[in-house]
Amino acid sequence: MKELFETGVLSTIPQADAILNGLLQMASDGLSIGSSTALLPEANDAAATGATIEDGMSGDTDFPHGKLKTLASAGERSVCPESPNMKITGTPDGVGAYLVDDDTVRVVVQSEGYGPLRIES
Amino acid sequence: MMYYTKCFSLLTCRPIFYEHFYYRFKFPVNDGNATFGGSHIQYVDYNRALMSEYMTHDEPASTMVVGAGNMIETIINLKGEPVGRRNGENATTVGAHFSNTDANGTYAMLKYPAETDWFLQSLCSAHLEQKHQFGDGIGFEDDLFLTNEEWANYALDKEFVGLSAHALDLDTKTLYAVGVFTNGGFEKIVEMNSGHPDYIILGVSGYNGNFDIDDIIPDETLVPQNIIDARNAEYGNRTDGNPYVYPKDIVPFRLYVGIKGKLEDGSDASEDDFLARNGLKYGQLYGFAIDMRNETDVVGPTAGVWRDEFHKSATNGEMIPGKWIPQEWRWDGEGTLRNRTLEQQDWCDRVCIANSNGWIAHMYVTPKFVSSPQLST
């Protein structure tokens, strides 16, 4: 895997080493669903403000309408017995929630994937 | 409050986000008789008591996860058949996933999937609808997750059915293809309050016929002219005498009114027919129309200015008088698999419809929207 990415497109991306280390971590033990705490959304766009960004960390979290916490992230894997190692796929575009029973909240999320038309997933 | 991020950027995403793009991930349906790739619908179950306290501490969500899995176990196509294995490059006469094929079941996408029979193309902006969410007997008869395919690239030498909406029965994990909204592809479809137990109303927004290809030849966009030519050859010109043109997003905001318990022909359906009992087999599409005239003696409310241009200078909350006009096209099941997503143009020509940029040119899609049960009376 390391050679593949060092000679491939990843080598052209800033912070490629950090991304590679993340991939190696995924290959070894993965991240279970809900274990990521860093947020994808930003309160302000670092590309526009010039804020320093750090891989694996949240950006600007000063959201105008309150605090956000992560429920699940694309790429995390299931450690649940009914779906061992199933990955949460991205990109999320559509979410809903309902009670399965009195003790369980089920969050349904769909991914916007493109099959073979673009990067197949 | 639930929130999701549609993020394509690598800059602020964890490395795992990058990684997920590059493995192929198929899921079996219909007892393993077919495999799908592309878009997925998944679930994560959380302990309710722990979730109620989740925003009061800094622990990760993994501490309250109690289950996860795929939400799609069964897929039913536009003909009401369980989707089956694709018959290679030949027609799949029974059980085709029609979003990927022509009306005969022959695969029609620009590229073949590497490991699956079919794929769900760009599921976009779904909405979870709860049974009778607007009052006693008012609204859908089941809890369902309403989603839609969005855009596609088809082989330029093939005809195709187009992209439908899909309704996921949350109890049975069955995904039903829904044809009543046309097969033009969509941004978002959301239930509204009909105020009557026999009817459902849905707002239909977004794309129509977004099927061009712009990544084969640099700086050139290829349109599926063969299917437009086929439409003109089989049905003739539009009622204004002009031929049909590439239909990308030439469509107004739409409303769908469905009658519960009816089959495509208006006859009574059995109670175990999921789509019929939810009003998704028999109904009528309407488009918002305004008077677009700008003549010496007659001036419409926008003085002939189309929607996108009008909104550049409109004030917040501005009202435009208009009417909801029915579309002549209506889903009849198998017969309308061959409508080729172009019917809206005839609808648009018969009335002055509130399109984004006219009758033959596209601009922006109608936006996403939400419907608030609390505010709908």
Side-chain angles (χ1 to χ4, degrees), chain B residues 196-372:
Chain B
H196 194 290
D198 295 338
Y199 299 88
I200 61 149
I201 295 182
L202 298 162
V204 182
S205 74
Y207 297 89
N208 178 68
N210 188 350
F211 301 141
D212 54 32
I213 305 170
D214 59 9
D215 58 356
I216 293 181
I217 303 174
D219 302 322
E220 184 173 346
T221 298
L222 305 175
V223 303
Q225 188 61 44
N226 73 311
I227 200 166
I228 301 165
D229 293 343
R231 178 67 174 80
N232 285 315
E234 183 166 349
Y235 296 105
N237 290 337
R238 306 180 312 197
T239 50
D240 69 351
N242 294 311
Y244 287 83
V245 297
Y246 177 49
K248 182 178 179 180
D249 302 339
I250 305 173
V251 64
F253 186 84
R254 291 154 286 176
L255 287 178
Y256 168 79
V257 180
I259 302 178
K260 297 179 186 176
K262 300 293 184 182
L263 296 172
E264 290 88 345
D265 62 0
S267 61
D268 291 339
S270 62
E271 291 185 0
D272 63 355
D273 189 321
F274 176 81
L275 291 182
R277 70 171 177 260
N278 286 293
L280 294 174
K281 279 194 170 178
Y282 185 69
Q284 179 66 52
L285 270 174
Y286 297 82
F288 187 69
I290 63 174
D291 186 344
M292 290 297 297
R293 287 178 293 183
N294 185 26
E295 302 164 1
T296 302
D297 54 344
V298 182
V299 178
T302 67
V305 173
W306 293 100
R307 190 189 68 209
D308 288 359
E309 186 65 25
F310 175 81
H311 280 290
K312 289 180 180 178
S313 58
T315 56
N316 191 22
E318 190 160 350
M319 302 292 287
I320 306 173
K323 294 183 178 179
W324 292 96
I325 303 296
Q327 180 179 16
E328 188 172 350
W329 178 93
R330 183 183 289 179
W331 173 247
D332 71 0
E334 185 175 345
T336 39
L337 286 177
R338 291 171 55 80
N339 77 82
R340 302 187 178 94
T341 76
L342 291 166
E343 294 287 346
Q344 285 87 345
Q345 287 178 33
D346 215 28
W347 180 32
C348 297
D349 267 2
R350 287 187 298 106
V351 297
C352 302
I353 211 84
N355 288 345
S356 63
N357 193 33
W359 290 304
I360 58 173
H362 81 275
M363 186 69 82
Y364 300 110
V365 299
T366 48
K368 297 178 182 180
F369 72 108
V370 296
S371 170
S372 171

Side-chain angles (χ1 to χ4, degrees), chain B residues 47-337:
Chain B
N47 179 282
R48 185 182 184 186
L50 295 177
M51 180 175 261
S52 70
E53 301 172 349
Y54 182 53
M55 300 304 288
T56 67
H57 57 72
D58 294 326
E59 294 298 311
S62 55
T63 58
M64 58 181 185
V65 173
V66 296
N70 283 317
M71 277 303 294
I72 304 175
E73 295 182 352
T74 303
I75 296 185
I76 305 297
N77 70 13
L78 284 170
K79 287 186 177 180
E81 304 161 340
V83 174
R85 193 172 305 282
R86 174 167 50 82
N87 187 21
E89 298 183 15
N90 300 314
T92 302
T93 56
V94 177
H97 174 52
F98 286 109
S99 295
N100 291 175
T101 74
D102 65 14
N104 299 317
T106 301
Y107 192 81
M109 308 305 289
L110 181 64
K111 299 174 183 176
Y112 281 86
E115 297 182 353
T116 67
D117 295 299
W118 316 101
F119 62 100
L120 291 166
Q121 169 57 10
S122 192
L123 291 185
C124 184
S125 196
H127 207 258
L128 193 152
E129 313 291 3
Q130 293 183 294
K131 177 181 178 179
H132 296 168
Q133 61 182 329
F134 300 106
D136 187 20
I138 300 176
F140 284 128
E141 294 297 314
D142 295 274
D143 296 330
L144 58 86
F145 190 73
L146 195 59
T147 184
N148 36 245
E149 296 178 89
E150 183 180 23
W151 61 270
N153 294 153
Y154 290 99
L156 293 173
D157 61 345
K158 294 181 179 176
E159 291 200 29
F160 50 82
V161 170
L163 302 176
S164 72
H166 300 271
L168 176 64
D169 182 345
L170 295 176
D171 287 338
T172 66
K173 296 181 180 174
T174 301
L175 188 72
Y176 295 87
V178 180
V180 292
F181 310 114
T182 75
N183 293 308
F186 311 93
E187 175 72 27
K188 191 181 189 101
I189 301 172
V190 176
E191 187 182 21
M192 303 169 70
N193 187 356
S194 71
H196 194 290
D198 295 338
Y199 299 88
I200 61 149
I201 295 182
L202 298 162
V204 182
S205 74
Y207 297 89
N208 178 68
N210 188 350
F211 301 141
D212 54 32
I213 305 170
D214 59 9
D215 58 356
I216 293 181
I217 303 174
D219 302 322
E220 184 173 346
T221 298
L222 305 175
V223 303
Q225 188 61 44
N226 73 311
I227 200 166
I228 301 165
D229 293 343
R231 178 67 174 80
N232 285 315
E234 183 166 349
Y235 296 105
N237 290 337
R238 306 180 312 197
T239 50
D240 69 351
N242 294 311
Y244 287 83
V245 297
Y246 177 49
K248 182 178 179 180
D249 302 339
I250 305 173
V251 64
F253 186 84
R254 291 154 286 176
L255 287 178
Y256 168 79
V257 180
I259 302 178
K260 297 179 186 176
K262 300 293 184 182
L263 296 172
E264 290 88 345
D265 62 0
S267 61
D268 291 339
S270 62
E271 291 185 0
D272 63 355
D273 189 321
F274 176 81
L275 291 182
R277 70 171 177 260
N278 286 293
L280 294 174
K281 279 194 170 178
Y282 185 69
Q284 179 66 52
L285 270 174
Y286 297 82
F288 187 69
I290 63 174
D291 186 344
M292 290 297 297
R293 287 178 293 183
N294 185 26
E295 302 164 1
T296 302
D297 54 344
V298 182
V299 178
T302 67
V305 173
W306 293 100
R307 190 189 68 209
D308 288 359
E309 186 65 25
F310 175 81
H311 280 290
K312 289 180 180 178
S313 58
T315 56
N316 191 22
E318 190 160 350
M319 302 292 287
I320 306 173
K323 294 183 178 179
W324 292 96
I325 303 296
Q327 180 179 16
E328 188 172 350
W329 178 93
R330 183 183 289 179
W331 173 247
D332 71 0
E334 185 175 345
T336 39
L337 286 177

Side-chain angles (χ1 to χ4, degrees), chain A residues 23 26 34 41 69-71 82-83 87 89 92-93 102-103 105-107 109-114 119-121, chain B residues 4-6 16 19 21 23 38-40 42 44-46 48 54 57 59 61-62 67-68 121-122 125 147:
Chain A
L23 291 174
M26 283 294 300
K69 286 186 72 177
T70 301
L71 287 174
E82 68 268 36
S83 57
K87 298 286 184 65
T89 63
D93 193 3
D102 287 345
D103 300 320
V105 176
R106 171 162 294 177
V107 174
V109 60
Q110 70 179 16
S111 59
E112 184 179 313
Y114 311 122
I119 306 167
E120 188 161 7
S121 61
Chain B
Y4 71 91
T5 296
K6 184 176 177 178
I16 53 174
E19 189 265 355
F21 271 178
Y23 62 80
S39 298
H40 296 231
Q42 299 169 299
V44 181
D45 286 344
Y46 299 90
R48 185 182 184 186
Y54 182 53
H57 57 72
E59 294 298 311
S62 55
Q121 169 57 10
S122 192
S125 196
T147 184

